[in-house]
């Protein structure tokens, strides 16, 4: 797991009086680091609205099911 992205974002948001529950996130690169960052941020309340990788991208303004997306990427 790569929680460095999560910790950096949490620190940045704290400096601005916000939390992960206040933000929407787009992740460019849904490989090992990006997929873990998305999972960890989603677990802490961030809404992941878009992810992309070399094969394409998905977007949903209401938020993506990151766990289901990780499974889909593993399968395909």
């Amino acid at each position: 797991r790569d929680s460095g992205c999560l910790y950096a974002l949490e620190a940045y948001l704290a400096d601005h009086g916000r939390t992960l529950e206040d933000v929407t996130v787009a992740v460019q690169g849904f490989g090992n680091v990006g997929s873990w960052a998305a999972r960890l941020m989603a677990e802490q309340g961030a809404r992941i609205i878009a992810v992309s990788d070399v094969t394409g991208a998905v977007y949903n303004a209401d938020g993506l099911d990151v766990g289901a997306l990780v499974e889909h990427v593993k399968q395909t």
Side-chain angles (χ1 to χ4, degrees):
R1 294 189 192 198
D2 183 351
S3 37
C5 295
L6 175 66
Y7 297 146
L9 181 56
E10 286 177 322
Y12 173 83
L13 292 171
D15 286 348
H16 293 84
R18 299 176 72 191
T19 68
L20 281 163
E21 294 174 348
D22 300 326
V23 299
T24 56
V25 178
V27 177
Q28 182 180 357
F30 200 66
N32 187 45
V33 174
S35 65
W36 272 109
R39 282 182 265 200
L40 294 171
M41 285 186 263
E43 287 173 5
Q44 297 299 316
R47 185 168 39 135
I48 312 302
I49 62 166
V51 300
S52 67
D53 68 10
V54 68
T55 62
V58 293
Y59 166 80
N60 183 332
D62 295 325
L64 298 167
D65 180 337
V66 177
L69 190 54
V70 167
E71 288 305 312
H72 174 74
V73 169
K74 284 180 186 177
Q75 300 291 327
T76 62

